[in-house]
Amino acid sequence: MIKIQVPATSANLGAGFDALGLALGFYNYVEMEESDRVDISSADDMVIPTDEKNLIYVSAKDLFDICGKKLNGLKIVQKNNVPMARGLGSSSACIVAGLAGANHILGNPLTQDDLVDLAAQIEGHPDNTAPALLGGIVTAVFDGRKVHWVKQEVYTKLKFVAIIPDFELKTEKARECIPKEVSHKDAVYNLSRAALFSASLLTGKFENLRTAVHDKLHQPYRMELIPHCREVFDIAYTHGAYGAYISGAGPTIMAIVDEENTYFAGKMRFSLENAGIKHWQVHEFMIDNDGTKIIEK
């Protein structure tokens, strides 16, 4: 039996739609071993598929198939800390866990690059799967077959504060609201801000982040699917956030905050409650620079 630790992720980071993502110090855990049957269970109260449609199992079987190995079954025990359909990479965490676990069981026949490519092919884009595997902040381009990526480890005095509502937003619905075409002006707007985000984060020019997270490709449309979204942005900036953006497809809103802003999370909780925005959770995370880890039991 092996244990796999996979970080939550936050994708897009404002203007970097389907290209930028980072790993957070918040983890799912999966125990896995070969078996003569499919035996899947949850170690918490999360309802999950317990048959061959389970995404961890599907991903593991894909890797076995690629390597020409027969898979009779797996015993899988999931501990699902990352909430589902909240924009924190829950599906990517399952895909990555299945691939990393299966690869380890088979003696690591696939390279790290192979795993990054395969995870993106399963998910359809690399902005969550790549940082889940690699850690840090990852810039990635997926050409349909291969992911061209750069990982940068981030050691900054920043916290990433997830403001998580009590409702789900499926990625499919969040993608349906995005226009098929954009103007040249809007494309330039996003390109410049995505570049500014990475450069500012890594060089410590945090005052640029409020401008860098602005976006015209997806956030204005997804905001309409997230009640109180603009209000939560305003509250975060009132309490000193450097930047705020919709994490992944949403509905979680991520605030980027200086670590010396000690009471930001408490102020957010109080202000949300005071504004009648009830039952939203506020959690502070640091960036995870290591990505997925295999822990031998």
Side-chain angles (χ1 to χ4, degrees):
M1 179 76 78
I2 59 171
K3 188 174 185 178
I4 309 146
Q5 175 183 288
V6 187
T9 49
S10 182
N12 301 327
L13 313 184
F17 182 63
D18 277 3
L20 294 179
L22 55 83
L24 299 166
F26 181 47
Y27 307 98
N28 275 359
Y29 295 93
V30 176
E31 296 180 6
M32 181 186 294
E33 67 180 356
E34 278 196 271
S35 174
D36 58 1
R37 62 191 181 91
V38 177
D39 180 3
I40 302 173
S41 61
S42 175
D44 47 40
D45 59 358
M46 184 76 74
V47 177
I48 60 169
T50 57
D51 57 13
E52 293 184 7
K53 295 180 182 178
N54 180 284
L55 189 53
I56 297 173
Y57 183 86
V58 169
S59 302
K61 188 175 186 306
D62 284 345
L63 190 139
F64 267 74
D65 289 344
I66 286 169
C67 295
K69 302 292 185 180
K70 183 179 180 182
L71 178 62
N72 295 316
L74 286 173
K75 181 176 181 180
I76 296 171
V77 182
Q78 297 179 225
K79 185 174 182 182
N80 307 282
N81 293 316
V82 181
M84 294 184 181
R86 294 296 201 284
L88 291 169
S90 60
S91 63
S92 291
C94 291
I95 291 168
V96 167
L99 295 178
N103 198 48
H104 185 86
I105 288 169
L106 292 176
N108 297 309
L110 299 189
T111 67
Q112 187 179 63
D113 277 332
D114 292 333
L115 294 178
V116 171
D117 294 343
L118 184 54
Q121 289 168 17
I122 295 171
E123 178 78 338
H125 41 88
D127 52 350
N128 283 111
T129 54
L133 272 163
L134 304 168
I137 179 172
V138 178
T139 305
V141 174
F142 182 41
D143 64 13
R145 298 183 303 276
K146 182 172 179 57
V147 179
H148 308 270
W149 59 268
V150 174
K151 169 194 171 179
Q152 293 162 301
E153 294 189 2
V154 182
Y155 299 96
T156 65
K157 296 183 177 181
L158 293 177
K159 302 180 287 191
F160 284 75
V161 183
I163 307 154
I164 309 171
D166 62 345
F167 55 86
E168 296 183 351
L169 178 56
K170 298 293 186 183
T171 301
E172 295 81 5
K173 183 176 181 181
R175 283 188 173 270
E176 285 173 1
C177 73
I178 299 172
K180 297 283 191 295
E181 297 181 356
V182 298
S183 69
H184 184 272
K185 182 179 179 181
D186 286 350
V188 172
Y189 183 99
N190 266 60
L191 284 169
S192 60
R193 281 156 180 78
L196 181 66
F197 184 95
S198 294
S200 299
L201 187 71
L202 295 166
T203 59
K205 289 187 68 66
F206 303 142
E207 68 273 15
N208 289 337
L209 293 178
R210 185 162 183 169
T211 296
V213 294
H214 287 181
D215 157 83
K216 290 191 175 182
L217 299 187
H218 69 106
Q219 289 189 131
Y221 309 99
R222 288 172 168 173
M223 280 182 176
E224 303 305 318
L225 304 178
I226 306 171
H228 306 295
C229 184
R230 288 181 175 84
E231 193 173 354
V232 174
F233 273 45
D234 290 342
I235 293 171
Y237 284 122
T238 297
H239 293 312
Y242 286 123
Y245 63 90
I246 296 172
S247 182
T252 292
I253 295 164
M254 193 69 70
I256 309 171
V257 181
D258 196 287
E259 69 176 4
E260 294 182 1
N261 192 343
T262 309
Y263 302 109
F264 179 87
K267 290 176 182 178
M268 282 298 304
R269 293 186 190 100
F270 180 83
S271 295
L272 291 171
E273 190 75 17
N274 201 43
I277 306 172
K278 300 182 183 295
H279 310 301
W280 289 46
Q281 298 180 38
V282 182
H283 297 288
E284 294 185 349
F285 305 113
M286 304 301 285
I287 291 178
D288 173 282
N289 282 309
D290 298 323
T292 296
K293 292 181 178 180
I294 304 290
I295 305 167
E296 294 277 6
K297 293 196 69 180

